[in-house]
Amino acid sequence: MNNFHKLFLPLLFIGFFSCNKQKADTNERPTYKVLKTTDSIVIDGIMNETVWKKAEARSLNYFYQAETKNEHQKTVYRMLWDDENLYLFFECEDTHIVARETKRDGAPYFDDCAELFLIPAPKPLNAHIALEVSVTKVKNDVLFLNDFEKGKNLAAKWYNPNYDIGVQIDGSINDNSDTDKGWTMEFKIPFNVLWGLDRAYPIEKGTKYMFLALRQDRNTIEGEDRSTTTIYPIENIEIKDVHQPDMFGLMELIE
């Protein structure tokens, strides 16, 4: 990323943070309690650290299938944090594992994919970070700006933060002649990907951020059919899409 983008993107993002047009009350939004860990986490897609068993396990129960009639396949989500990083773990049942995208900032969301949308503030704003990763570790990471101009959104794909992914696959990829069992994905996201936007709401016990955890589930190799599963309901997803910050829930850092 050149120097212009390094300077321009943070300013653009901060500008959208300060120009909040959404007035949704978050007092009634559900909250996920993120447990702090002092253990060393190996990012390999294997949940063998004891602390993961202590993390809150939350099923992704809200299914949206406008584009397909895929079965409802189970997803369990967990989060942890320490002073430097946020950790995510997705456990996904999957009878047919599909991943075709190979380019960064392509469209891994049309494959089997895990996603996190994050706002480093306890209220919905016009901008959020979106991290989307396929089961083959292909990333699409953007700064998503809602209502950027004349009601149109903007996904700034110059944003390419460094974060670690571990995946385990129980089955075969892009082979529907057999029946797979599923996959897991583990994230290690350094808090420095927030570009200092966490200064208003620093990384410490009691801090709350808005977020949404999602899974894209694809069972066919051809086309773009998929189902979307979320941790919190997106009430008007048929009218818009999943990028609606006033539909996000809260995460709270606890010890």
Side-chain angles (χ1 to χ4, degrees):
M1 185 166 61
N2 61 35
N3 290 332
F4 172 76
H5 288 156
K6 288 180 180 179
L7 293 173
F8 174 70
L9 280 177
L11 292 174
L12 182 64
F13 200 41
I14 291 169
F16 268 72
F17 262 60
S18 63
C19 297
N20 179 26
K21 297 179 181 178
Q22 302 187 52
K23 303 300 182 181
D25 185 359
T26 61
N27 291 333
E28 300 301 321
R29 299 304 295 170
T31 301
Y32 181 103
K33 304 287 188 178
V34 188
L35 182 66
K36 188 173 186 179
T37 179
T38 57
D39 295 353
S40 177
I41 306 294
V42 178
I43 308 304
D44 54 6
I46 303 173
M47 195 168 50
N48 53 9
E49 294 88 358
T50 302
V51 69
W52 277 122
K53 302 297 183 182
K54 300 177 182 179
E56 180 180 351
R58 187 79 67 86
S59 294
L60 274 60
N61 290 329
Y62 299 96
F63 293 86
Y64 303 98
Q65 299 176 309
E67 301 171 26
T68 185
K69 294 183 179 179
N70 282 356
E71 59 189 286
H72 289 183
Q73 302 195 102
K74 184 177 180 181
T75 305
V76 178
Y77 177 76
R78 293 175 173 86
M79 269 197 293
L80 296 167
W81 72 288
D82 60 25
D83 291 335
E84 303 295 331
N85 305 290
L86 183 67
Y87 302 92
L88 320 179
F89 203 102
F90 290 80
E91 293 181 275
C92 303
E93 294 181 355
D94 202 334
T95 56
H96 297 294
I97 302 172
V98 177
R100 304 161 304 168
E101 182 62 77
T102 60
K103 297 179 180 179
R104 185 163 190 170
D105 293 337
Y109 44 81
F110 285 126
D111 293 334
D112 284 312
C113 175
E115 306 181 7
L116 175 73
F117 299 167
L118 182 65
I119 301 171
K123 54 187 176 182
L125 300 173
N126 281 353
H128 62 274
I129 292 168
L131 306 178
E132 305 168 334
V133 186
S134 77
V135 294
T136 50
K137 302 185 184 180
V138 176
K139 298 177 179 178
N140 179 47
D141 21 56
V142 303
L143 297 179
F144 197 92
L145 310 178
N146 292 82
D147 299 325
F148 179 73
E149 183 179 8
K150 298 180 180 179
K152 294 183 178 180
N153 302 328
L154 172 67
K157 293 200 173 190
W158 309 300
Y159 175 66
N160 289 319
N162 292 318
Y163 55 100
D164 297 331
I165 299 293
V167 175
Q168 296 291 323
I169 294 174
D170 190 352
S172 58
I173 299 177
N174 299 335
D175 181 4
N176 282 4
S177 66
D178 60 2
T179 300
D180 304 323
K181 291 186 177 180
W183 50 276
T184 60
M185 187 179 296
E186 192 170 14
F187 288 64
K188 178 183 177 181
I189 306 170
F191 284 117
N192 63 21
V193 306
L194 302 178
W195 275 340
L197 293 167
D198 56 316
R199 291 171 185 166
Y201 303 99
I203 308 303
E204 61 187 17
K205 177 183 176 182
T207 294
K208 294 181 179 181
Y209 288 162
M210 297 289 289
F211 89 105
L212 186 69
L214 312 88
R215 172 194 176 181
Q216 305 295 347
D217 182 12
R218 177 180 186 78
N219 283 337
T220 58
I221 297 175
E222 302 298 328
E224 295 183 348
D225 290 345
R226 58 180 172 164
S227 64
T228 300
T229 314
T230 63
I231 191 171
Y232 302 129
I234 308 297
E235 297 168 0
N236 58 343
I237 194 171
E238 299 296 339
I239 300 173
K240 295 184 178 180
D241 58 22
V242 292
H243 293 278
Q244 299 182 58
D246 55 344
M247 295 287 117
F248 294 3
L250 289 167
M251 52 176 274
E252 181 180 359
L253 306 182
I254 66 169
E255 295 184 349

